[in-house]
Amino acid sequence: MYLNRRFYIVLVLIILLTGAGYAFIPFFAIGQWGLLVLCLVVLADGYMLYRTRGIKAFRRCAARFSNGDENPVDIRVESSYPYPVAVEVIDEIPFVFQRRNVRFGLQLLPGEGKTVSYRLCPTRRGVYSFGRIRVFATTRIGLLSRRYTCGSPLDIKVYPSYLMLHRYELLAINDNLTELGIKRIRKVGHHTEFEQIKEYVKGDDYRTVNWKASARRHELMVNVYRDERSQPIYNVIDKGRVMQQAFHGMTLLDYAINASLVLSYMAMRKEDKAGLITFDEHFDTFVPASRQPGQMQALLEHLYAQQTSFGETDFSSLCICLNKRVNKRSLLILYTNFSGMGSMNRQLPYLQQLNRQHRLLVVFFEDTDLKAYIEEPAKDTEGYYRHVIAEKFIFEKRLIVSTLKQHGIYSLLTTPGNLSVNVINKYLEMKSRHLL
């Protein structure tokens, strides 16, 4: 039982009346009668609240949350009181969100139930623990509140952004992927995978005429080609300390994980095989490229537990293990980050080795905070020096792209927020140009 603000206001008024009775005797009697009435009303209010267990509440949410997305949580509150009550609902959300404003006020009629909703946006993968639901019920008298403890503690696993997959899937069905920034790539040249031989019809490319088949059938026959399929696509994720940098609360590793999950889904829709490789000081996770029905779930489970380390990434172990495990020429999409030309030059021999055996696409990140700082005008001499140093770092990022291109290595410099869209566009572009 809790005493409400209204109770204290009435009690203060009674005390003032009683105190005034020392100067004006009639007020003393009024204060005594007021105190008696207050006690009777409190007893009546308590009886109305505790005559029955009148409130039930329970939480409804998904069995798992999507990292970096808004996840809905519903709380259903039902009243079995035979008269109207006001309730305040407080949900004990995971402490990692550091939110103290998840409380809702409701007015419930006799036997009525209502649902309140809110959203949570996690920025880290892992297990998040919900507590109980606290409901404070008050009658129209409003002097007392009764606390109900409802629901039960709940542990929710936060997975990589699978909600993004649903958005891409729905937009792909509606043919609206351009709304997300995914470009329509014009295909250049011929497809290279043979499909069938068919009779020539007006409009077919004469360069595809099959003269041997035409001689046997005594009519023009043409070869039909289609896009190459079943090409292995591996998302290679660096888990070293360079991926610990945060952007809007999420680390670069989390952005890379979300992008690799979406790209794997798109690759499998294009009938390619999707696989996964993670590494830091040692070669860590390896999921062979496949397009079996359970492949996306396998990738999701492996990506769920990935964490960054504080060590230096070992690209030599990546090259050695890839030589042992990946025999077919594949597209390797390497998610990493370079702070400058020095860090890139240390890894360049290993990148060249990977590019000789496979088709390598290096994905690294722009520093958005640095770009925002440069856009602000300098105010003093020290500010100008800082701007020059910041511009030097940004220039080195562009120089890394140019250096990789000189060595025949494809690269993509992108902001974390646009990573998924830019990687998909690059994949579609490379596939249309038959660079895989």
Side-chain angles (χ1 to χ4, degrees), residues 146-407:
R146 179 181 177 181
R147 187 184 75 172
Y148 290 89
T149 300
C150 307
S152 57
L154 178 65
D155 289 339
I156 297 292
K157 291 185 177 180
V158 177
Y159 280 82
S161 181
Y162 60 86
L163 291 182
M164 191 181 298
L165 296 182
H166 299 330
R167 290 200 295 270
Y168 276 84
E169 183 176 10
L170 292 174
L171 288 172
I173 293 173
N174 296 327
D175 199 23
N176 290 329
L177 285 174
T178 51
E179 294 180 6
L180 291 181
I182 297 177
K183 304 174 183 177
R184 297 181 180 272
I185 305 297
R186 180 178 178 271
K187 297 185 177 181
V188 180
H190 298 282
H191 307 304
T192 57
E193 186 172 320
F194 176 78
E195 183 175 18
Q196 64 176 344
I197 300 176
K198 71 176 186 70
E199 297 180 0
Y200 174 85
V201 295
K202 186 176 180 180
D204 286 338
D205 192 344
Y206 67 89
R207 290 173 294 184
T208 62
V209 172
N210 188 320
W211 296 108
K212 291 184 178 180
S214 300
R216 288 195 299 267
R217 295 286 300 271
H218 301 290
E219 59 180 333
L220 285 178
M221 307 292 292
V222 295
N223 295 331
V224 178
Y225 298 92
R226 64 182 178 186
D227 284 335
E228 292 187 29
R229 298 181 297 179
S230 298
Q231 296 171 311
I233 312 295
Y234 281 96
N235 290 284
V236 186
I237 302 178
D238 181 357
K239 300 195 304 176
R241 62 171 178 262
V242 296
M243 300 294 283
Q244 290 184 349
Q245 183 177 348
F247 175 75
H248 288 178
M250 288 177 55
T251 63
L252 296 182
L253 175 66
D254 285 313
Y255 282 103
I257 287 175
N258 291 347
S260 62
L261 194 64
V262 174
L263 181 63
S264 299
Y265 171 76
M266 295 295 293
M268 293 174 68
R269 282 184 61 91
K270 292 290 184 180
E271 301 187 4
D272 287 333
K273 298 178 180 179
L276 173 68
I277 297 170
T278 65
F279 69 106
D280 43 25
E281 297 96 331
H282 309 286
F283 191 86
D284 187 18
T285 305
F286 177 76
V287 180
S290 173
R291 55 186 299 266
Q292 298 298 322
Q295 182 70 358
M296 285 304 301
Q297 183 62 32
L299 293 174
L300 189 63
E301 292 295 336
H302 280 86
L303 289 170
Y304 163 72
Q306 302 296 329
Q307 298 294 336
T308 55
S309 63
F310 290 93
E312 183 71 23
T313 306
D314 188 359
F315 277 79
S316 62
S317 65
L318 173 65
C319 295
I320 294 172
C321 293
L322 272 178
N323 289 338
K324 295 179 180 178
R325 303 194 183 201
V326 183
N327 299 321
K328 186 177 180 181
R329 184 173 176 83
S330 310
L331 171 63
L332 306 179
I333 302 177
L334 173 62
Y335 301 89
T336 186
N337 200 25
F338 298 117
S339 58
M341 284 297 298
S343 60
M344 191 278 295
N345 287 329
R346 287 196 299 270
Q347 313 301 346
L348 185 57
Y350 304 113
L351 299 180
Q352 290 177 297
Q353 181 179 342
L354 292 174
N355 194 56
R356 283 194 296 268
Q357 299 169 349
H358 306 277
R359 177 65 68 186
L360 178 63
L361 172 62
V362 179
V363 180
F364 58 107
F365 300 91
E366 289 182 309
D367 192 329
T368 53
D369 294 335
L370 207 59
K371 292 183 65 177
Y373 175 75
I374 292 177
E375 292 176 358
E376 297 178 358
K379 298 180 180 180
D380 51 20
T381 304
E382 182 180 355
Y384 284 108
Y385 281 115
R386 292 179 180 272
H387 273 69
V388 170
I389 296 173
E391 290 175 357
K392 176 180 179 294
F393 280 116
I394 291 181
F395 172 75
E396 283 197 353
K397 293 280 187 177
R398 296 195 296 266
L399 187 59
I400 290 172
V401 174
S402 177
T403 304
L404 291 174
K405 184 177 180 180
Q406 291 175 5
H407 290 87

Side-chain angles (χ1 to χ4, degrees), residues 6-24:
R6 185 177 297 179
F7 172 84
Y8 291 106
I9 293 175
V10 174
L11 183 61
V12 168
L13 291 176
I14 293 174
I15 293 173
L16 292 176
L17 286 173
T18 305
Y22 289 98
F24 305 97

Side-chain angles (χ1 to χ4, degrees), residues 5-43:
R5 182 180 180 183
R6 185 177 297 179
F7 172 84
Y8 291 106
I9 293 175
V10 174
L11 183 61
V12 168
L13 291 176
I14 293 174
I15 293 173
L16 292 176
L17 286 173
T18 305
Y22 289 98
F24 305 97
I25 296 176
F27 284 109
F28 188 80
I30 295 174
Q32 287 180 321
W33 281 103
L35 182 60
L36 178 61
V37 172
L38 175 63
C39 292
L40 293 176
V41 173
V42 167
L43 289 176

Side-chain angles (χ1 to χ4, degrees), residues 53-59 75-78 89-92 130-136 146-154:
R53 184 172 177 82
I55 296 295
K56 295 180 181 179
F58 51 90
R59 183 189 300 111
I75 298 178
R76 178 70 177 179
V77 184
E78 297 177 351
V89 184
I90 300 176
D91 193 10
E92 295 179 347
F130 283 87
R132 295 182 178 273
I133 302 172
R134 312 291 181 177
V135 181
F136 296 86
R146 179 181 177 181
R147 187 184 75 172
Y148 290 89
T149 300
C150 307
S152 57
L154 178 65

